[in-house]
Amino acid sequence: MRIRTPLALVVVLALAAGCSGGGDQAAPTAAGPSSAAAASASPTPTPTPAVVVDGADAALTAAVAKVYAGKTGVEATATLGTWMKEKVAVVTSGDDVTLAVGPQWKVVGGWWPSLGKGTDLGRFPRFMLVMGSDARGSNLKGSRTDTLQIVGLDGRGGAGIVGIPRDLYVPLSTGGTSKINAAFAYGGGSAEARTIENLSGIDLQGYVVTGFNGFRSIVDESGGVPLVIEKAFTFLDLLKVKKGRQVADGGTALAYARERHAFPNGDFDRSRHQQEILIAGGVAARLAGPAILPKEMSIVSKYAQTDVDAETALTFLAAFYRIDPAKVKHTVVPGAIGTSSDGQSIVKVTPATRAVFAGFRDARL
């Protein structure tokens, strides 16, 4: 749903009427108009603003006006939100999109076909780590990650998602060797990101992570996510998930993202399903248009943790509106099933594992 915040415009006109005073009224002379004629003269018209932005305050309007310097008659609409307590705005005018962050409003990117300008969304390729923690509550400290997905954008219309099995056995940035999802338990999101950077050779712009309850709330408050679930299953002997096309609520989406025993490839199928949820959410947002971004960012902010600032998050998410859906692919890195020295079931890194990461360094698959 598109959210519009009305902009209150107050125009104050000061009208001054001068007339001769004191003593008897003199007759008008040929040298000047009578006081009655002066009083009936029309006031100077108030100039029409070059740029009017519905939903914006004066500071945001001024920032947008700089983009359209020299052009008049621009009418636009702003949608506002927050990202980790930082203000964000998407301003649309026809096919033009202007992205800004506050509190001292600054334009950070966008695209403006009406001005003959191309897209400005930063440097590419760009990569973000999206994680789902197995924490049940809002406190993620000490938990492990069930979901590890690298989302990449190449800046030329292409994008990809690479999933990482949580049991991949690797050197951790915190020291020692263990399952890759243990890095989060030992050192939080930054430790997990560094571990994945060391393994993949991919430079991450940051990470976003949420727990089970947070993920469920994000999906529910966004109105559900459209999915095609490939097989019916019962999650944890409690929730029956039906097969086929549906708008999944938070509980159903979480079950699909977590279930592995009902599918032949276990954790690899689970990672693939997580990618399907990410793509489905992206498609729904794309259909709604870029004006939906501030609302969705505000929802995620309530339930996620991140080291990504508002400018990076806003321009990264807006870049999804500039991709060609035919150029979006996803995969899960392969590995060899094995056993660690202490008897854990693990996924071993192989040349095929490293080949996927190497091929993804341009953000395309």
Side-chain angles (χ1 to χ4, degrees):
M1 177 183 295
R2 191 175 182 185
I3 298 175
R4 298 184 62 185
T5 305
L7 173 66
L9 300 178
V10 179
V11 180
V12 179
L13 300 178
L15 302 178
C19 62
S20 300
D24 295 334
Q25 182 176 354
T29 65
S34 67
S35 60
S40 65
S42 298
T44 302
T46 301
T48 302
V51 177
V52 175
V53 184
D54 184 21
D57 61 16
L60 179 55
T61 299
V64 174
K66 290 180 181 179
V67 174
Y68 291 96
K71 188 173 181 178
T72 59
V74 177
E75 296 183 358
T77 300
T79 54
L80 309 177
T82 57
W83 177 256
M84 304 301 162
K85 300 182 180 180
E86 292 185 85
K87 292 182 179 180
V88 296
V90 173
V91 180
T92 56
S93 177
D95 292 330
D96 291 0
V97 174
T98 302
L99 311 173
V101 298
Q104 304 299 322
W105 288 109
K106 176 182 70 169
V107 173
V108 296
W111 50 93
W112 305 271
S114 76
L115 301 176
K117 293 183 179 181
T119 301
D120 179 11
L121 293 171
R123 298 179 62 182
F124 290 86
R126 301 174 65 178
F127 300 90
M128 198 76 67
L129 177 61
V130 178
M131 297 182 285
S133 159
D134 62 9
R136 271 60 175 174
S138 59
N139 184 7
L140 308 185
K141 188 175 182 180
S143 64
R144 296 198 175 204
T145 47
D146 260 8
T147 303
L148 292 167
Q149 305 285 346
I150 303 176
V151 181
L153 303 170
D154 72 353
R156 303 190 304 276
I161 305 175
V162 168
I164 303 172
R166 66 176 188 172
D167 293 340
L168 200 66
Y169 203 67
V170 301
L172 304 182
S173 63
T174 53
T177 300
S178 186
K179 293 180 179 181
I180 195 167
N181 66 343
F184 189 85
Y186 297 147
S190 58
E192 189 71 73
R194 287 196 304 271
T195 297
I196 291 174
E197 286 180 329
N198 294 340
L199 170 68
S200 65
I202 292 172
D203 184 19
L204 301 170
Q205 285 197 302
Y207 68 85
V208 180
V209 58
T210 188
F212 290 163
N213 290 342
F215 174 86
R216 186 164 43 232
S217 296
I218 289 169
V219 174
D220 284 340
E221 291 190 23
S222 298
V225 59
L227 292 176
V228 180
I229 294 179
E230 62 180 283
K231 176 184 177 182
F233 63 93
T234 301
F235 182 63
L236 297 180
D237 295 325
L238 296 173
L239 177 64
K240 293 185 181 297
V241 177
K242 64 182 181 179
K243 176 183 177 180
R245 188 178 301 277
Q246 56 195 278
V247 177
D249 62 13
T252 301
L254 180 62
Y256 196 50
R258 292 184 59 199
E259 179 60 40
R260 61 191 175 103
H261 297 296
F263 297 95
N265 297 311
D267 197 35
F268 293 92
D269 281 338
R270 171 167 59 182
S271 186
R272 178 169 55 83
H273 296 160
Q274 294 163 2
Q275 294 172 348
E276 291 172 7
I277 293 169
L278 286 174
I279 292 171
V283 169
R286 186 182 177 93
L287 290 174
I292 200 71
L293 283 177
K295 172 192 171 184
E296 294 302 317
M297 292 176 71
S298 298
I299 292 172
V300 173
S301 289
K302 291 193 293 184
Y303 302 108
Q305 297 177 9
T306 184
D307 64 347
V308 180
D309 62 25
E311 178 177 344
T312 302
L314 181 58
T315 55
F316 188 90
L317 292 170
F320 281 94
Y321 292 89
R322 313 305 292 166
I323 63 176
D324 178 353
K327 295 181 180 179
V328 180
K329 297 182 179 180
H330 61 101
T331 191
V332 180
V333 294
I337 303 300
T339 304
S340 67
S341 59
D342 59 355
Q344 298 181 71
S345 176
I346 61 172
V347 177
K348 295 180 180 179
V349 174
T350 66
T353 309
R354 299 191 184 282
V356 171
F357 286 130
F360 191 49
R361 288 174 189 165
D362 61 356
R364 303 187 76 164
L365 293 169

